[in-house]
Amino acid sequence: MHCPYCRHPDSRVVDSRETEEGTAIRRRRSCPQCGRRFTTVETAILSVVKRSGVTEPFSREKVIRGVRRACQGREVDDDALNLLAQQVEDAVRAKGSPEVPSHEVGLAILGPLRDLDEVAYLRFASVYRSFTSAEDFEREITEMRRVRAAAATE
């Protein structure tokens, strides 16, 4: 790690602590050249592999943008969208792989979105699952009702 003050190519770790519920490590460092101290935060990079084979870093903002489109005209606030994006990231990270297919990110969005707003869920699912007819919507609505009824009896 280069010192941000003198650009010396090495530094010594003085203290390390977990932050953000264990998803990041905060390190206090000291430069042997100039003696100044600085802090770094390390997080594991989660990559999304797109259908084309291109890999890009996971982005909560991208999840929020996609879900916000599905929620257009619905009464869904930004806090709910941020929470949904956090749930999606947690679900994807829980798989334990540093690279995850974009398809799995979409699947991770569907569950929390159904709980958040059923209309937005149908909009998102129709694009994500490439609905081509009214029967596709009917099938999905029937499944939603079945899941809701099963949850009500538990």
Side-chain angles (χ1 to χ4, degrees):
M1 178 83 216
H2 289 275
C3 173
Y5 304 107
C6 70
R7 303 299 301 155
H8 185 71
D10 197 17
S11 63
R12 185 174 66 85
V13 175
V14 177
D15 182 44
S16 292
R17 295 181 185 187
E18 284 187 6
T19 61
E20 299 176 27
E21 299 176 4
T23 61
I25 297 177
R26 179 184 173 273
R27 296 195 195 279
R28 193 76 179 130
R29 296 176 177 269
S30 174
C31 175
Q33 184 74 28
C34 68
R36 294 180 80 177
R37 290 186 173 198
F38 57 98
T39 302
T40 59
V41 178
E42 300 173 17
T43 58
I45 296 175
L46 177 63
S47 298
V48 177
V49 181
K50 307 197 77 153
R51 282 185 224 145
S52 65
V54 174
T55 301
E56 64 181 41
F58 176 85
S59 167
R60 283 190 200 172
E61 290 76 29
K62 197 167 181 180
V63 169
I64 291 170
R65 272 196 314 272
V67 173
R68 183 173 279 133
R69 255 183 257 124
C71 293
Q72 195 168 10
R74 306 293 299 163
E75 292 189 23
V76 176
D77 64 2
D78 287 344
D79 288 340
L81 293 178
N82 287 325
L83 179 60
L84 183 140
Q86 178 65 49
Q87 291 172 325
V88 170
E89 183 174 359
D90 290 347
V92 171
R93 283 192 185 276
K95 296 195 181 291
S97 175
E99 290 187 343
V100 62
S102 60
H103 175 74
E104 288 187 25
V105 175
L107 289 175
I109 290 171
L110 289 173
L113 184 55
R114 181 177 40 235
D115 296 338
L116 179 64
D117 188 280
E118 290 180 341
V119 173
Y121 166 79
L122 283 172
R123 289 175 179 171
F124 189 88
S126 71
V127 173
Y128 181 72
R129 293 186 175 153
S130 303
F131 287 6
T132 57
S133 67
E135 288 80 25
D136 292 336
F137 281 94
E138 288 174 359
R139 220 179 355 266
E140 194 64 38
I141 291 169
T142 301
E143 177 64 16
M144 285 172 56
R145 287 179 177 150
R146 187 190 65 72
V147 169
R148 191 182 322 142
T153 59
E154 289 180 357

